[in-house]
Amino acid sequence: MARSFLLLYSLSRRRVSDSLRSLFFIPTALALTTSLFILFYISSTSNLFNPHPHRQSRHHFLQNHPIESQPQSSLDFDSPKESKPLIGKTAANDIIFHDEDIFTHDYLKMNKSFKIFMYPHNKNDPFANVLLPVDFEPEGNYASESFFKKALNNSHFLTKDPSKADLFYLPFSIARLRHDPRVGIVGIQDFIKDYIYNVSHYYPYWNQTGGADHFYVACHSIGRVAINKAEEIKLNAIQVVCSSSYFLSAYVPHKDASLPQIWPRVDDDPPNITSSQRKKLAFFAGAINSPVRQKLVETWQNDTSIFVHSGHLNSSYEEALQDSKFCLHVKGFEVNTARIGDALYHSCVPVIIANHYDLPFADVLNWKSFSIVIATLDIPFLHRILSGLSANEYDSLHSNVLKVRKHFRWHANPVDYDAFYMVMYELWLRRSSVRVPLS
């Protein structure tokens, strides 16, 4: 009797176990089947499983036919023997603003209400040369930093009442700190660390947001390491800098803003050279101080239509810009150079060859409408990209260059829609950014 009971008990447990297994097996099998179906769909409709996804999305001006062979390089660039898909140029690329109506409306609103409080310093401050606006016309390759401070000081945006301020300006100058014998390159980090300490201990405004409503402006490339001992600036404050590279950990896109690096020019009437007067296809001159520029020279130094020069020109740099349809902006030590401003000033269509570059005023301007941006991997295809443009496409780019270049001009007394006002608009867009104050 006991054996019969044990047998029945064993059989019943086995039936229950089998039932439980079937209950777990059915949904597991369905989940596995569904997962396999999803993976098959993704693999057939996307580049997720393509080991070289960048090869599927080349510049939209490339034509759908084989590329002629060019010299190889030991650098990590794509093979130039691949053909590229044709991606048509759309009408949206002819518009210089992402949304002109929104920009115009917000610009007027910004111009009426936006207020900046600049931390005060007097002429007797031992570092007045670093903290006060310059009393002369800014000069040199990094003049944008001084032009902004001087223009802000002459504008209606400043307020002496911090309770009315949307943002607070930290007016230290990286470029002037670099050349000050009391500070120099090695002392910049400590100077800024001490400056933030003083601001946070003698004024209440920094601590209200942990610096989230504060900003500084720097054009010199040393600015990207100048804040290494002041982490709260990097994490919270708005950095308006020329070295606006996604690749740099110090630069945070959308929180920070790209400052255009523009060589100062006193001439108020930039030249208007028509496309028919431009005999060269493309032009570049500069120091060979990066693998990207080295690749450019190796590939195109003997070409008869793309003029690439290492070092300084023996002839006029300005005339070379005016004689070329396209002017190349190529990454050197840093992603930023004044060449974009040079090209626009001389109404030459800029070709930007620099990866990870947050272009100036990209929140507002549609760079595809007045420039060509290509990856460094596409240097071997440069001639095909540029010569593949139709006359109408080039004329559209050139026409938009003439429209947009006013946004890349500095004036000691700011002029509506110039570089100063465009930077102010970028700051206005960031005035309500909410970040958690540091503990």
Side-chain angles (χ1 to χ4, degrees), residues 69-119:
S69 178
Q70 297 290 353
Q72 294 285 344
S73 170
S74 60
L75 296 172
D76 185 20
F77 288 88
D78 266 25
S79 167
K81 295 183 179 180
E82 294 181 353
S83 61
K84 305 295 185 294
L86 174 64
I87 304 176
K89 188 175 187 293
T90 64
N93 289 340
D94 295 330
I95 303 171
I96 65 173
F97 295 100
H98 294 304
D99 193 314
E100 187 170 4
D101 290 339
I102 290 178
F103 170 66
T104 302
H105 175 269
D106 286 351
Y107 182 91
L108 294 174
K109 191 175 179 181
M110 178 265 306
N111 217 0
K112 290 181 180 178
S113 63
F114 194 34
K115 294 300 177 184
I116 303 291
F117 178 81
M118 180 166 66
Y119 282 98

Side-chain angles (χ1 to χ4, degrees), residues 60-73:
H60 66 274
F61 290 125
L62 286 169
Q63 302 299 310
N64 191 22
H65 42 64
I67 302 298
E68 64 261 27
S69 178
Q70 297 290 353
Q72 294 285 344
S73 170

Side-chain angles (χ1 to χ4, degrees), residues 265-279:
R265 293 179 174 87
V266 296
D267 183 12
D268 291 331
D269 297 315
N272 291 318
I273 311 298
T274 63
S275 57
S276 61
Q277 295 174 274
R278 299 174 182 271
K279 307 304 179 185

Side-chain angles (χ1 to χ4, degrees), residues 32-297:
L32 180 60
T33 303
T34 303
S35 299
L36 290 172
F37 176 79
I38 292 172
L39 288 172
F40 172 78
Y41 176 79
I42 292 174
S43 66
S44 63
T45 59
S46 78
N47 294 325
L48 182 62
F49 295 94
N50 188 339
H52 302 289
H54 61 270
R55 293 179 182 174
Q56 301 299 320
S57 57
R58 293 296 191 190
H59 194 276
H60 66 274
F61 290 125
L62 286 169
Q63 302 299 310
N64 191 22
H65 42 64
I67 302 298
E68 64 261 27
S69 178
Q70 297 290 353
Q72 294 285 344
S73 170
S74 60
L75 296 172
D76 185 20
F77 288 88
D78 266 25
S79 167
K81 295 183 179 180
E82 294 181 353
S83 61
K84 305 295 185 294
L86 174 64
I87 304 176
K89 188 175 187 293
T90 64
N93 289 340
D94 295 330
I95 303 171
I96 65 173
F97 295 100
H98 294 304
D99 193 314
E100 187 170 4
D101 290 339
I102 290 178
F103 170 66
T104 302
H105 175 269
D106 286 351
Y107 182 91
L108 294 174
K109 191 175 179 181
M110 178 265 306
N111 217 0
K112 290 181 180 178
S113 63
F114 194 34
K115 294 300 177 184
I116 303 291
F117 178 81
M118 180 166 66
Y119 282 98
H121 300 280
N122 58 53
K123 293 182 179 180
N124 296 324
D125 192 300
F127 285 95
N129 64 312
V130 170
L131 300 169
L132 295 179
V134 296
D135 56 2
F136 53 84
E137 200 71 12
E139 300 175 342
N141 206 26
Y142 307 107
S144 292
E145 179 184 294
S146 293
F147 262 116
F148 174 84
K149 187 188 296 187
K150 189 170 185 178
L152 178 62
N153 199 56
N154 293 333
S155 76
H156 65 279
F157 293 106
L158 279 183
T159 177
K160 293 183 179 181
D161 183 355
S163 66
K164 296 180 179 179
D166 298 288
L167 292 177
F168 295 80
Y169 176 40
L170 305 165
F172 54 80
S173 167
I174 297 294
R176 298 186 71 76
L177 281 169
R178 179 177 179 269
H179 294 290
D180 192 308
R182 298 168 295 177
V183 182
I185 295 175
V186 296
I188 290 180
Q189 294 182 9
D190 288 320
F191 181 96
I192 294 176
K193 178 184 177 182
D194 293 341
Y195 184 82
I196 297 302
Y197 177 88
N198 290 333
V199 163
S200 62
H201 281 73
Y202 294 109
Y203 296 91
Y205 320 121
W206 177 278
N207 298 316
Q208 291 171 357
T209 63
D213 54 1
H214 286 57
F215 73 95
Y216 77 98
V217 176
C219 196
H220 198 285
S221 56
I222 199 72
R224 66 185 177 90
V225 296
I227 43 79
N228 280 357
K229 292 185 179 180
E231 284 287 303
E232 54 269 52
I233 288 186
K234 178 164 62 176
L235 296 177
N236 268 4
I238 302 167
Q239 302 176 99
V240 184
V241 293
C242 290
S243 294
S244 51
S245 172
Y246 296 127
F247 188 72
L248 300 175
S249 61
Y251 184 80
V252 183
H254 311 301
K255 173 180 79 69
D256 301 329
S258 179
L259 180 71
Q261 185 170 338
I262 301 171
W263 189 271
R265 293 179 174 87
V266 296
D267 183 12
D268 291 331
D269 297 315
N272 291 318
I273 311 298
T274 63
S275 57
S276 61
Q277 295 174 274
R278 299 174 182 271
K279 307 304 179 185
K280 299 174 183 175
L281 179 62
F283 165 74
F284 171 82
I288 308 305
N289 53 13
S290 71
V292 181
R293 291 187 181 182
Q294 183 65 39
K295 177 65 178 180
L296 180 75
V297 171

